[in-house]
Amino acid sequence: MKFPILLALHLLIAISCSITSSEGTNWLNCGVEGVAIIAKTVTISPTPVIRGKNMTMTITLMNTDSIISGESNLRISLLSPEGPILYNHNAPLSELLTGQLPVPPDGTVRLEHFIPLLTPVNLEYFGTLSLIDQDKREACIQFKFHILNSQ
């Protein structure tokens, strides 16, 4: 899976969310309260992201049951969450979280993707990641990031 997987997701901004910043990563929960699996922390490294290198997203979840299976959607847009969609990818959780299932209660997941050298730099990218488990509970995370030239 390449950068496109990290470039997109199911956009659910109609729900009011609180913005959190953790270690330079701007993100927010956008799931339905009471039904959602909540993200406690989200970090993207390196910050800023560098093209020609791997980008890693680490998410600590707040969930009461193990996540065994489900679906995911990743959407990446340019300039704003409603901006031009650069990537939109649906995949089973087993594909997105290879080797990480089941995710235990309050577990942590890691997504790692290579950022191609041809990716435009010095722009603001917005992503929405939706993880829907076997019981149809959803973790929805919106985040933004920048990409710099390779170093």
Side-chain angles (χ1 to χ4, degrees):
M1 290 184 252
K2 301 287 183 196
F3 175 64
I5 277 246
L6 193 82
L7 283 184
L9 237 36
H10 180 55
L11 189 61
L12 299 172
I13 22 185
I15 301 164
S16 63
C17 307
S18 61
I19 295 179
T20 308
S21 181
S22 173
E23 295 181 22
T25 302
N26 291 316
W27 65 278
L28 57 90
N29 280 299
C30 52
V32 177
E33 192 174 324
V35 178
I37 299 168
I38 302 297
K40 291 194 287 190
T41 63
V42 176
T43 57
I44 294 175
S45 63
T47 300
V49 174
I50 301 169
R51 69 180 182 174
K53 300 193 183 258
N54 283 335
M55 169 181 167
T56 301
M57 177 180 253
T58 305
I59 306 165
T60 303
L61 300 171
M62 186 170 23
N63 52 309
T64 54
D65 298 316
S66 292
I67 300 171
I68 299 166
S69 63
E71 297 294 320
S72 68
N73 175 264
L74 177 63
R75 183 169 111 175
I76 302 297
S77 57
L78 191 59
L79 307 176
S80 77
E82 301 84 15
I85 297 171
L86 301 176
Y87 184 76
N88 193 9
H89 182 75
N90 294 302
L93 281 180
S94 59
E95 179 183 315
L96 185 70
L97 304 176
T98 303
Q100 299 180 68
L101 293 175
V103 177
D106 296 335
T108 299
V109 295
R110 281 177 49 121
L111 313 171
E112 189 167 300
H113 302 283
F114 180 76
I115 307 301
L117 285 170
L118 297 176
T119 305
V121 296
N122 301 321
L123 298 171
E124 196 164 54
Y125 291 89
F126 292 81
T128 304
L129 174 64
S130 177
L131 308 173
I132 302 171
D133 77 0
Q134 67 278 356
D135 297 320
K136 305 297 182 211
R137 293 173 300 186
E138 179 179 24
C140 177
I141 301 156
Q142 290 182 332
F143 54 96
K144 72 178 179 178
F145 58 100
H146 292 83
I147 297 176
L148 296 181
N149 277 319
S150 57
Q151 294 180 342

